[in-house]
Amino acid sequence: MQFKHPELLYALILLVIPFIVHLFKLRRFQKEAFTNVKFLKKVVQENRKSNQLKKWLILTARTLALAFLILAFAQPFIPSGKTAKQSTSTLLYLDNSFSMQLRGEHGPMLQHNIQQLLENNQENQAFGLFTNSNDFGIISPAENQSELQDIDYSSNSMNFNLINLKARQFFNEHPADVQKLVLISDFQQNFGDLNKLENVEYHFVKNEAQNIANISIDSAFVIDKNLNQITLKTKFSTTEKLDRDIPISLKNGEQVLAKKSINFKENKQQEIEFRLQAEEIENGIISIEDNGLYYDNELFFSYAETPKINVLSVSGSDADFLSRIFTEDQFIYTNFDENEVDFSAFSNADLIILNEVEQINTALQNQVLEKAREGTPVCIILASTLQLQNYNPFLSNLGLPTIQDKQNRELLITEIAFEHPLFEDTFEKEISNFQYPEVQSFYNFNRDVSAILRFQNRNAFLMNSGNSYLFSAAINQENSNFQNSPLIVPVFYNLGISALKTPSLYFEVGKENTLDVNIAGSGDQVVEIQQNSEESFIPLQQNTADKITVTTTDLPENAENYRVTYQQNKILPISYNYPRSESDLNYLDINEFENIEKQTDLNTYFESAKAAQQIDVLWKWFVIFALIFLSIEMLLLKFFK
C-alpha cells in the first residue's frame, strides 16, 4: 500500500497523547471510605472496574476512528498497473492517406479511427496527435471534437523516418518517465524500415481492409498529334485480375467525348487510346467506376495548343542538322552566320545555340549573357579551332568550366546519364550496348560539372551547369559522326522543348511544378491560378522580358482542373492530380517487428493504457472504518453501564 500524501501520516504520532493522559489520570490518589460503610465500598469498587473498562474501550474506538480518518486524508492506494506511479507522455500518429479510404470491418478505416478517438473522451485524457497533413499538438477528445471530426484524407504520406522526427521533437518538448508513440495505419510498404527511438514505447494499431481490390487510373499522355487529331494514351492498373468490363468515360466538363471499357482478366496493367479532335480541352476528366479507393477513379487533364518555341542559333559551321530537328510544327527556328547576326532577334529567343563559333565578339557575348541571366537556356558547341582568351571568360560567366587544352585523338562516346532531366521519359529502359559515336579531337577542362554524355575515359562530352550546356568537342562531319548517331535527336529536341516550360496534360499535387506563360508582365499585375471565379491563389512567379515563369509547390492542395489567368483574362487551362503511390496496396507484416506492442484497434490500446495506469484507491474504505469506530464509541457511551 502506498500514499498520495504520506506527510499526513505524521499526525498519527499525536494519537499517543490521549493514552498518556488517560494513564496519568488512572494513577491519581484514591480515598478510602470508613469501615462502617464496608459494604458500600465493595459496590463502589466493582463499579470503578467496569468504568475503567468502558473508558479504555471508548479511548480505543475514538483513537482508531481518528487513525483511520488520518489515513483516509493521506489517500492510500495500491498500484495495479506497472506504470501507475510514472508520468506518461503519449503521441498518436493517425494515417489519413488515401489508402485509408478502404473499408474495414466497421466501415472506412480513417472514419472508424476518428470515431474511436471521440469515444475515448474522458476529461482528464490528453495526448499529442499528428497526421500526414496536420500537427494538432496536445489535444483532448472531450475538448477538441470538432478538430477531430474535420480530419480529412490527404495526398501526403509519411514513412518511419519522418514519424520518428516528429516524435523526437514532441518528446523533447513534453518529457516524461514513459514515452509512448502510437502508430495508427494500414502500414503500406512505403513506410520503409523501422529505426526505433531510444526510451520510446512503440504501439502499432494496424487497420485491416476487408477488400483490397482496387482499380487505378495511373497516367495519361499524348502520343501523337497533327493538325486535326491527337491520340491520348491512358494507363490503368488493378491490384487483382478481374474478369469483368470496367466502363471508362472521357469528358470535357459535362460534354462526353468518348466512352470505352477495359478488362483485367489477363493482365493487371492495361492501356487505352482515345483519338480526339485537336482542340482545346479545358476541363478534361477520365473516370472509371470502382468500389475500392475512390481518389484514383478520376484523372484530370487539360489540353491546349502549345505555342511554338523560338530557337536561335549562331553558326560558324554547317547547321542543317539543327533545321531538320527543329521543325516548323513545334519550333520557330532562326539561324545566323557568326558574321551576320541580327541582335534584335535575341529578345524572343527561348533557346540559344552557339554552333562552333570560333570567336565570340563582345556584342554577341553581352546578348547571350543577358538572356542567360533571364533564365534562357544556352547551348555551346565548341569549334575545332577557337581562341581560348576569348572563350574562357565567357564560359566562366555562364557557370561552365574553362578550357585547359585540346587533345587530337579519337575517343568514343560510351555513357549516357539516363537519370538526367534532359532524358526524362526519353528511354523506356537503360541501354549499355549501342552504336557508339566518336570524335577525332576534344577539349579538356579545369573542373567537372554535371555530365549528360561521357567519353570512354569518363570525361564529359556533353555537360551542363544550370541552364547552360556545353559540348566538349566539335560535332561537324569532319570531327565527329555524332550527327549520324541516334542520340542527336533526343539531345537537341529535348533541349528545345524544355526551353519553354509548357504545361503538361497535368501536374502532380505537392510537387514543384514549373510552366512558362508567354506574356510580358507589367507593373503590379500578377498571374493567378483559379478553380472558379471565387477561389484563386497567386503562385511564385518570375518576370522576364517576354514571359512569366510560374512555379507551384504546396498549392493547389486538391486534384482538379484550374486555369491560369492574367488581369482577369484566361491564359491557359492547367490540371492537377494526386500522386498514385497510395494505390499500390502492398502492406508490411508488422509481426516481423520486434519489441513493439500490437493492437487490433484503438479501443484495445486505450483499455490497455488505462490498465497500465490503474490504481486501487483505498481512502473510502478508511473513511468507512473511521465511521464504524465512531459509531462504536457512540454505542459505548450510550449503552455500556
Side-chain angles (χ1 to χ4, degrees), residues 361-373:
N361 59 48
T362 302
L364 181 57
Q365 284 193 39
N366 292 338
Q367 286 289 339
V368 173
L369 291 175
E370 182 180 350
K371 291 294 291 183
R373 283 191 291 269

Side-chain angles (χ1 to χ4, degrees), residues 147-160:
E147 289 90 335
L148 292 174
Q149 291 171 341
D150 289 341
I151 295 176
D152 201 359
Y153 299 101
S154 170
S155 60
N156 300 328
S157 60
M158 285 192 177
N159 56 27
F160 285 128

Side-chain angles (χ1 to χ4, degrees), residues 54-214:
K54 178 180 179 180
K55 289 179 179 179
W56 275 108
L57 290 174
I58 292 172
L59 178 63
T60 302
R62 185 175 298 166
T63 304
L64 287 174
L66 290 173
F68 280 115
L69 196 60
I70 292 170
L71 291 171
F73 277 105
Q75 296 190 26
F77 66 91
I78 299 175
S80 58
K82 60 182 180 179
T83 61
K85 289 192 64 181
Q86 296 175 307
S87 61
T88 302
S89 183
T90 303
L91 177 63
L92 272 64
Y93 161 69
L94 177 59
D95 184 2
N96 63 333
S97 60
F98 285 126
S99 64
M100 299 292 284
Q101 292 176 344
L102 290 175
R103 296 183 65 85
E105 184 179 355
H106 304 282
M109 295 187 293
L110 175 62
Q111 301 307 317
H112 180 58
N113 289 325
I114 295 172
Q115 185 60 38
Q116 287 186 313
L117 285 174
L118 294 172
E119 290 172 356
N120 292 275
N121 59 354
Q122 295 89 344
E123 291 185 2
N124 60 346
Q125 184 184 55
F127 46 77
L129 176 68
F130 70 100
T131 66
N132 296 322
S133 51
N134 289 298
D135 191 345
F136 293 91
I138 296 289
I139 69 166
S140 169
E143 300 175 359
N144 302 90
Q145 292 189 18
S146 60
E147 289 90 335
L148 292 174
Q149 291 171 341
D150 289 341
I151 295 176
D152 201 359
Y153 299 101
S154 170
S155 60
N156 300 328
S157 60
M158 285 192 177
N159 56 27
F160 285 128
N161 290 334
L162 289 175
I163 293 171
N164 280 340
L165 194 64
K166 288 270 191 181
R168 183 182 291 110
Q169 180 180 355
F170 177 84
F171 291 129
N172 286 339
E173 295 174 356
H174 305 88
D177 298 327
V178 179
Q179 299 174 336
K180 296 183 178 182
L181 176 59
V182 186
L183 279 66
I184 311 156
S185 174
D186 55 354
F187 295 100
Q188 287 186 281
Q189 290 282 356
N190 54 19
F191 263 84
D193 296 325
L194 173 62
N195 297 312
K196 296 195 298 181
L197 298 175
E198 293 184 3
N199 304 319
V200 174
E201 291 183 9
Y202 281 78
H203 298 260
F204 282 13
V205 181
K206 183 168 184 179
N207 289 214
E208 299 278 358
Q210 286 189 316
N211 181 15
I212 60 172
N214 179 61

Side-chain angles (χ1 to χ4, degrees), residues 502-509 513-515 552 574-577:
T502 56
S504 306
L505 283 179
Y506 58 88
F507 294 120
E508 278 194 3
V509 170
N513 304 294
T514 303
L515 67 141
T552 63
I574 185 173
S575 301
Y576 287 84
N577 286 291

Side-chain angles (χ1 to χ4, degrees), residues 540-564:
L540 181 68
Q541 49 199 281
Q542 181 180 6
N543 289 19
T544 58
D546 57 343
K547 65 182 178 181
I548 299 176
T549 300
V550 176
T551 302
T552 63
T553 50
D554 297 331
L555 293 176
E557 295 181 341
N558 300 318
E560 188 55 81
N561 289 313
Y562 298 82
R563 57 180 176 269
V564 179

Side-chain angles (χ1 to χ4, degrees), residues 577-612:
N577 286 291
Y578 297 120
R580 295 308 198 237
S581 57
E582 290 294 307
S583 301
D584 185 14
L585 300 177
N586 291 312
Y587 302 102
L588 294 172
D589 183 3
I590 65 171
N591 293 317
E592 296 179 356
F593 296 112
E594 298 179 353
N595 301 320
I596 63 169
E597 295 290 334
K598 308 175 187 68
Q599 309 290 350
T600 55
D601 58 25
L602 261 178
N603 283 336
T604 305
Y605 164 74
F606 283 121
E607 289 172 2
S608 64
K610 184 178 179 181

